[in-house]
Amino acid sequence: MTSMSTGGARLPFRGLRRMVGALVRQRRRLALATVAIALGVGYLAGALTLLDRVAGGLDALAAAGAERADLVVEGGVAYESPVEQVRRLVPITTGQAVAAIPGVASASPRIEDTATLIDSTGRPVVPLGLSEQPLGANWPDDPAVAPYRFVSGGPPTGPGDVVIDQRSAEAAKVGVGDKIAVSARAKGLGDYTVTGIIRTDVGGLPAGSSLALFTTAEARALFDRPLDDNSVAVRLAPGADRDEVAGNIRRTLPAGIEVVDGATAAVHRQESLTRSFTLVRSLILGFAGLALVVGMVTVANSLALLYAERRRTFASLRLVGAKPGQLLTAALVEAGMLALFASLIGAPLGLLLGRVIEAALGALNTSIPVAGSIVSWRALGWAVLIGFVATVVAAILPAARA
């Protein structure tokens, strides 16, 4: 009895050894399955890494418009959907009324829209498209709330002046004192003199975005906002009680307009930007999921052929006492080893694929705002885990039928 029990206990290991030997003899199908898993995991790792970089880019973009304000007067949500959130504009008279409230040191309107910078060859530095963000705004009336740091030069002072971000200045090969063309909604194409080059409080703007800053009067003309602001940044006077001032402001606001603290306004801005990229993020994840599904179908077919050729081996093992559950376990362990090996190959490949996707989008003039490290360990870990689990799940049916 003891020898039989020992022999029975060894059957799974003996079966596993035979299956590994069979795998060596069936190298072609093994290689096909390995390539399918590696490519599926690689594309998934690349997509997840790219999404992490997009999230970093959106953070940087949100910071480009988040003034250092104690309070912010903004419009309530006028329309929202899974892919968009639009807030009401703030009447210009509201900002003027807020500036007169006791405890308010300054009330700086923010006017923003799209403004495309054009280089000397006539090409957009960042073209307006599905994912690109060529931003335009006014330079804050109160420099204390400006979320920018000058690399060189100074703020705009006249209708023909513009301040641009450092990345755009390098791309367009312009410096302080040079001319650059700007295309905006109301005034079309016009030439401006670069008076300053800036970075945001969190650094440079991400690739796929640009920033042009004008005087408040010029921004109103460029973006057709003579009587409205996007928001109003409020800086409190020293010693003023924020809650008390916020209450006084709230009592003067028209319907549909609200006052929030600076941190809440930054969250609202981040949410609007994130929603605008929902479609892009869904497309990236959709293609990654499709690649993984196709890879897993290929793996399932390859393993089905492998196991079909081993039916005689399985039958022999059953004759000497192997149970179906033991053979299934051995087959899934085999699939798991294959999945782990292929996933570890595919994950680093994903870093390259992510960069290729970014480069391809840039070549098609559809750059997306990205920032942060090109290596995301979280994304790589998830890709390896998903690839491993998906391969083992894909192997269950072929192994059970064998």
Side-chain angles (χ1 to χ4, degrees), residues 147-389:
Y148 314 113
R149 299 176 183 177
F150 278 102
V151 176
S152 60
T157 57
D161 297 342
V162 66
V163 171
I164 64 176
D165 66 283
Q166 186 177 20
R167 180 187 290 275
S168 297
E170 292 171 353
K173 298 179 181 179
V174 296
V176 173
D178 293 337
K179 292 284 188 179
I180 190 168
V182 181
S183 176
R185 180 189 302 272
K187 292 183 68 174
L189 189 66
D191 289 330
Y192 291 83
T193 301
V194 177
T195 63
I197 297 173
I198 53 96
R199 293 168 63 86
T200 69
D201 281 345
V202 296
L205 260 68
S209 63
S210 63
L211 179 63
L213 299 167
F214 311 89
T215 63
T216 298
E218 183 67 8
R220 291 195 186 281
L222 280 174
F223 307 140
D224 194 22
R225 301 279 171 75
L227 300 175
D228 296 294
D229 304 321
N230 289 87
S231 61
V232 178
V234 178
R235 181 170 62 87
L236 300 182
D241 182 86
R242 187 173 68 176
D243 292 338
E244 180 181 351
V245 174
N248 292 335
I249 291 175
R250 195 171 289 112
R251 283 189 286 272
T252 68
L253 299 180
I257 308 299
E258 58 190 19
V259 60
V260 297
D261 58 47
T264 301
V267 170
H268 291 170
R269 183 176 179 84
Q270 176 74 42
E271 183 180 359
S272 295
L273 279 170
T274 300
R275 288 203 188 190
S276 69
F277 275 78
T278 299
L279 180 59
V280 174
R281 294 159 69 98
S282 298
L283 287 173
I284 293 173
L285 275 179
F287 282 121
L290 179 61
L292 187 64
V293 169
V294 171
M296 292 310 103
V297 170
T298 304
V299 170
N301 290 336
S302 299
L303 292 179
L305 292 172
L306 285 172
Y307 297 148
E309 292 182 3
R310 281 194 234 148
R311 283 177 180 170
R312 184 175 298 177
T313 302
F314 289 159
S316 299
L317 290 171
R318 289 191 186 98
L319 286 175
V320 295
K323 296 179 180 179
Q326 292 173 321
L327 294 176
L328 178 61
T329 300
L332 294 182
V333 169
E334 173 188 80
M337 292 171 59
L338 175 65
L340 185 59
F341 174 74
S343 295
L344 291 176
I345 294 175
L349 179 64
L351 300 178
L352 176 62
L353 288 174
R355 297 295 289 174
V356 168
I357 295 171
E358 286 184 36
L361 290 173
L364 295 172
N365 287 328
T366 55
S367 301
I368 52 179
V370 291
S373 173
I374 62 172
V375 178
S376 171
W377 295 110
R378 183 183 69 87
L380 294 180
W382 274 110
V384 170
L385 177 61
I386 293 172
F388 177 84
V389 172

Side-chain angles (χ1 to χ4, degrees), residues 66-91:
E67 293 97 342
R68 306 171 194 159
D70 297 306
L71 298 169
V72 175
V73 177
E74 62 181 12
V77 176
Y79 170 78
E80 64 180 336
S81 69
V83 298
E84 187 179 18
Q85 185 185 77
V86 179
R87 290 186 171 271
R88 294 181 175 88
L89 295 175
V90 179

